[in-house]
């Protein structure tokens, strides 16, 4: 079995070497998390910008340790995430070994997690998703071990057969230990993302259903930690992300329905090799067909009014909320001036017909996943997926990357459901996903390196950073440089004297081209806006 783990590590390392995730520049939101980490490394005090929505304390501590040893750079922070990603794969494989899967099924499940597009991409960033997933997987592994020793529930093949209890007298003595370890990991995950509270809810439900009151009390400890710590956890933009504080009941319900749809559809397409495997084991195809039909009708409804497929978004999302994997990885995100402000398409983008087909495919896949989960609703992991997805449905801002946080247990639930199924199609799909991941993330780093070089080139020429529109990440870093932790979120106006763009623009002259990115200077007679308000 150790050979399998080493092989998985070698595959992950080789894929990352092909990606080449080097570069001292921010990606997505990790500029925000880096500022807090470096401040903690310097002062020993937690400080967060007004833009921080996650609780972040443990990640800041982890990153600060790396910073103190290796220095202050995004390369160091990415290395810290890559180590946690490798550890996540190891712990996940250990979890799989407790389940009634063949060696090949375990390897396929672990490889599917490695090449889950959000996991693979975020492993090369300083985003919160991999640290959160590491603790979530650890919590699930410990809870499954403890519950398995009660009734075999953790290792049942999710087909209605409850395995014989694995616990003997020794098992009974170890149960509290494993439940306590699970509770500890679940509590720790709350200090990376507040939604870590879901890591304790599902085990608590299962233990109460088994009338294991003492063990349930241990599993409930993270809920108490969450309640006591909430005044500390709810800083920055946490309230901004809460739909319940921003709209009427009807609006909350309507948006929650959309996000449930989006979350399951995104989760399905990100683990499509395993979805294809499990689809062969569906018992009630009329239920699956009905749910998939509802998903398709929902997608068609929003397409008809121009919501589900905005011109820059190749897969379904909710109205103005962007962030699906085809934007965040190979094709975007649309953060440079020409795409973010002027609305030009990305250099590589899908046409409308391809976007439509992809949206329909994701809708059907999402419906199949929901049907599979309904058929196996008693399993601990299924309860956790449902709980986490429901919780995130009441977020005012939804991104497809949340599908990793909420629905990652699909990576072992689907193989359990599909035990004994032929794996040729799943393997072929996994190879395709892996190729896409490596190409897309490599391209993502390629143009981000070019953007960073173009930005630095303008500064070397004497252009002040405040005069350059270089995209959200670089703009934010530049404007928070003097005062990283203002009490209120500043409402910046971004000057467009110089802009970074994927293409030449008629009202600008080219100062320099670095790979796929152009550094442009605004002409006096330019028709484009002289200044813009940044995101949100």
């Amino acid at each position: 079995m150790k050979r399998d783990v080493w092989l998985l590590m070698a595959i992950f390392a080789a894929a990352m070497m092909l990606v080449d995730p080097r570069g001292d520049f921010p990606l997505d939101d990790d500029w925000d998390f880096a500022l807090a980490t470096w401040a903690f490394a310097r002062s020993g005090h937690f400080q967060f910008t007004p833009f921080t929505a996650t609780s972040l304390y443990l990640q800041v501590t982890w990153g600060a340790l790396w910073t103190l040893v290796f220095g202050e750079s995004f390369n160091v922070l990415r290395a810290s995430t890559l180590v946690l990603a490798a550890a996540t794969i190891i712990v996940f494989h250990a979890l799989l070994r407790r389940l009634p899967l063949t060696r090949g099924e375990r390897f396929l499940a672990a490889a599917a997690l490695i090449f889950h597009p959000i996991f693979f991409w975020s492993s090369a960033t300083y985003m919160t998703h991999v640290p959160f997933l590491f603790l979530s997987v650890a919590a699930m592994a410990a809870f499954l071990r403890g519950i398995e020793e009660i009734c075999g529930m953790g290792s049942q093949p999710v087909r209605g057969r409850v395995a014989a209890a694995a616990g003997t007298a020794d098992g009974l003595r170890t149960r509290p230990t494993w439940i306590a370890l699970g509770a500890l990991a679940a509590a720790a995950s709350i200090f990376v993302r507040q939604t870590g509270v879901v890591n304790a809810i599902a085990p608590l439900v299962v233990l109460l259903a088994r009338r294991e009151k003492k063990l349930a009390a241990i599993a409930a400890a993270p809920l108490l930690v969450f309640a006591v710590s909430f005044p500390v956890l709810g800083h920055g933009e946490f309230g901004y992300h809460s739909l319940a504080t921003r709209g009427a009941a009807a609006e909350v319900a309507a948006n929650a329905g959309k996000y449930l749809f989006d979350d399951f559809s995104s989760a399905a397409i990100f683990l499509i090799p395993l979805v294809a495997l499990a689809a062969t084991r569906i018992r009630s195809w009329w239920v699956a067909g009905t749910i998939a039909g509802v998903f398709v009708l929902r997608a068609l409804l929003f397409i008809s009014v121009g919501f589900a497929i905005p011109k820059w978004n190749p897969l379904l999302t909710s109205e103005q909320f962007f962030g699906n994997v085809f934007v965040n990885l190979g094709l975007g995100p649309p953060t440079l001036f020409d795409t973010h402000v002027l609305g030009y398409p990305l250099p590589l983008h899908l046409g409308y017909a391809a976007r439509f087909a992809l949206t329909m495919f994701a809708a059907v896949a999402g419906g199949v996943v929901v049907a599979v989960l309904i058929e196996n609703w008693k399993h601990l992991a299924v309860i956790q997926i449902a709980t986490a997805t429901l919780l995130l449905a009441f977020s005012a801002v939804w991104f497809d990357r949340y599908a990793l946080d909420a629905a990652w247990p699909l990576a072992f639930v689907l193989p359990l459901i599909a035990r004994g199924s032929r794996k040729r199609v799943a393997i072929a799909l996994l190879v395709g996903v892996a190729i896409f991941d490596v190409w897309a993330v490599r391209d993502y780093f390629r143009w981000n390196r070019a953007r960073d070089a173009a930005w630095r080139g303008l500064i070397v020429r004497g252009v002040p950073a405040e005069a350059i529109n270089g995209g959200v990440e670089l703009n934010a870093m530049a404007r928070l440089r003097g005062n990283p932790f203002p009490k209120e979120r500043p409402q910046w106006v971004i000057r467009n004297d110089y802009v970074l763009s994927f293409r030449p623009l008629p009202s600008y002259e080219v100062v320099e081209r670095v790979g796929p990115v152009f550094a442009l200077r605004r002409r006096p007679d330019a028709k484009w806006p002289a200044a813009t308000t940044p995101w949100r």
Side-chain angles (χ1 to χ4, degrees):
M1 300 307 171
K2 291 182 179 179
R3 287 183 298 176
D4 290 347
V5 173
W6 282 112
L7 181 56
L8 289 166
M9 291 293 99
I11 291 171
F12 181 60
M16 280 298 165
M17 288 178 66
L18 290 173
V19 165
D20 189 18
R22 292 175 299 164
D24 189 15
F25 46 78
L27 296 168
D28 210 288
D29 289 340
D30 68 5
W31 59 271
D32 188 350
F33 313 146
L35 289 174
T37 299
W38 294 334
F40 183 70
R42 295 179 199 135
S43 68
H45 299 290
F46 290 108
Q47 300 177 78
F48 302 102
T49 80
F51 299 94
T52 308
T54 56
S55 50
L56 205 65
Y57 289 92
L58 273 182
Q59 180 168 336
V60 161
T61 304
W62 172 253
L65 291 174
W66 280 73
T67 299
L68 290 171
V69 175
F70 299 106
E72 190 174 290
S73 79
F74 282 99
N75 282 318
V76 170
L77 296 181
R78 283 192 208 114
S80 75
T81 308
L82 283 168
V83 168
L84 283 182
T88 301
I89 297 164
I90 293 171
V91 175
F92 183 67
H93 190 269
L95 182 158
L96 294 172
R97 291 185 62 185
R98 302 293 306 178
L99 304 176
L101 296 170
T102 66
R103 181 181 179 185
E105 289 166 343
R106 287 195 296 269
F107 194 90
L108 179 64
L113 180 63
I114 289 175
F115 291 109
H116 184 299
I118 299 298
F119 177 79
F120 188 77
W121 162 75
S122 58
S123 295
T125 73
Y126 191 58
M127 296 290 281
T128 60
H129 304 287
V130 167
F132 179 77
L133 186 63
F134 169 72
L135 293 169
S136 298
V137 173
M140 177 65 75
F143 280 131
L144 278 174
R145 175 71 179 268
I147 293 172
E148 177 191 60
E149 292 176 348
I150 299 171
C151 62
M153 184 172 181
S155 62
Q156 65 172 319
V158 203
R159 303 299 300 168
R161 298 192 303 267
V162 178
T168 60
D170 290 337
L172 291 174
R173 285 197 297 270
T174 62
R175 262 190 274 137
T177 302
W178 286 110
I179 299 299
L181 288 173
L184 179 62
S189 70
I190 296 170
F191 292 91
V192 178
R193 299 181 66 86
Q194 295 90 335
T195 49
V197 69
V198 302
N199 289 322
I201 293 176
L204 177 61
V205 170
V206 171
L207 290 169
L208 287 175
R210 297 296 306 174
R211 299 181 180 179
E212 295 282 349
K213 295 181 180 180
K214 292 182 179 179
L215 296 180
I218 298 173
L223 304 183
L224 178 61
V225 171
F226 179 78
V228 172
S229 305
F230 186 77
V232 176
L233 302 177
H235 55 68
E237 290 200 340
F238 178 69
Y240 175 87
H241 284 253
S242 175
L243 187 63
T245 65
R246 298 182 57 193
E251 180 187 359
V252 170
N255 279 279
K258 289 188 297 183
Y259 297 168
L260 286 170
F261 169 88
D262 292 344
D263 204 51
F264 282 118
S265 295
S266 295
I269 202 167
F270 294 156
L271 286 172
I272 196 62
L274 302 183
V275 174
L277 199 66
T280 62
R281 295 294 187 178
I282 290 178
R283 296 194 295 269
S284 300
W285 272 105
W286 69 270
V287 174
T290 300
I291 297 173
V294 171
F295 271 44
V296 169
L297 287 174
R298 183 272 184 190
L300 289 173
L301 172 64
F302 278 83
I303 289 170
S304 67
V305 292
F307 283 166
I309 310 183
K311 58 187 176 182
W312 45 263
N313 196 341
L315 182 62
L316 78 169
T317 68
S318 292
E319 299 182 16
Q320 76 272 24
F321 302 129
F322 65 94
N324 86 62
V325 65
F326 294 93
V327 172
N328 276 347
L329 297 181
L331 310 183
T335 188
L336 297 192
F337 181 75
D338 54 333
T339 55
H340 184 65
V341 177
L342 303 181
Y344 280 94
L346 292 156
L348 295 172
H349 61 278
L350 298 178
Y352 185 84
R355 288 181 287 170
F356 178 84
L358 193 55
T359 299
M360 294 299 103
F361 179 70
V364 172
V368 168
V369 165
V370 172
V372 166
L373 296 181
I374 289 174
E375 288 185 356
N376 302 279
W377 64 273
K378 292 184 179 180
H379 194 271
L380 170 64
V382 176
I383 296 171
Q384 175 153 325
I385 292 169
T387 304
T389 303
L390 183 63
L391 178 64
L392 286 172
F394 289 92
S395 170
V397 181
W398 184 89
F399 299 94
D400 68 337
R401 60 179 184 262
Y402 296 169
L404 176 65
D405 304 340
W408 72 266
L410 286 173
F412 70 88
V413 168
L414 295 177
L416 277 173
I417 293 167
R419 290 181 68 208
S421 299
R422 292 186 177 181
K423 303 172 183 62
R424 293 178 183 176
V425 173
I427 293 171
L429 287 170
L430 179 59
V431 170
V433 171
I435 291 171
F436 169 80
D437 281 357
V438 171
W439 167 81
V441 182
R442 181 179 176 84
D443 181 70
Y444 182 72
F445 272 92
R446 181 179 70 93
W447 73 257
N448 271 286
R449 270 193 291 269
R451 175 174 65 161
D452 181 63
W455 171 277
R456 294 175 188 268
L458 288 176
I459 291 176
V460 168
R461 293 171 184 265
V463 179
E466 291 74 15
I468 309 170
N469 189 337
V472 170
E473 303 91 335
L474 299 182
N475 292 343
M477 288 286 290
R479 281 153 184 78
L480 287 174
R481 181 176 50 195
N483 180 21
F485 308 107
K487 293 183 179 179
E488 301 293 334
R489 183 167 69 90
Q491 297 296 323
W492 295 313
V493 173
I494 306 299
R495 288 165 55 188
N496 297 322
D497 301 345
Y498 292 79
V499 302
L500 302 183
S501 170
F502 284 117
R503 54 178 59 77
L505 298 172
S507 296
Y508 285 79
E509 59 186 24
V510 176
V511 176
E512 182 183 14
R513 179 178 182 179
V514 183
V517 175
F518 290 83
L520 307 176
R521 178 169 48 233
R522 188 172 184 269
R523 293 175 181 166
D525 60 344
K527 297 179 181 179
W528 306 122
T532 54
T533 302
W535 76 108
R536 295 200 297 266

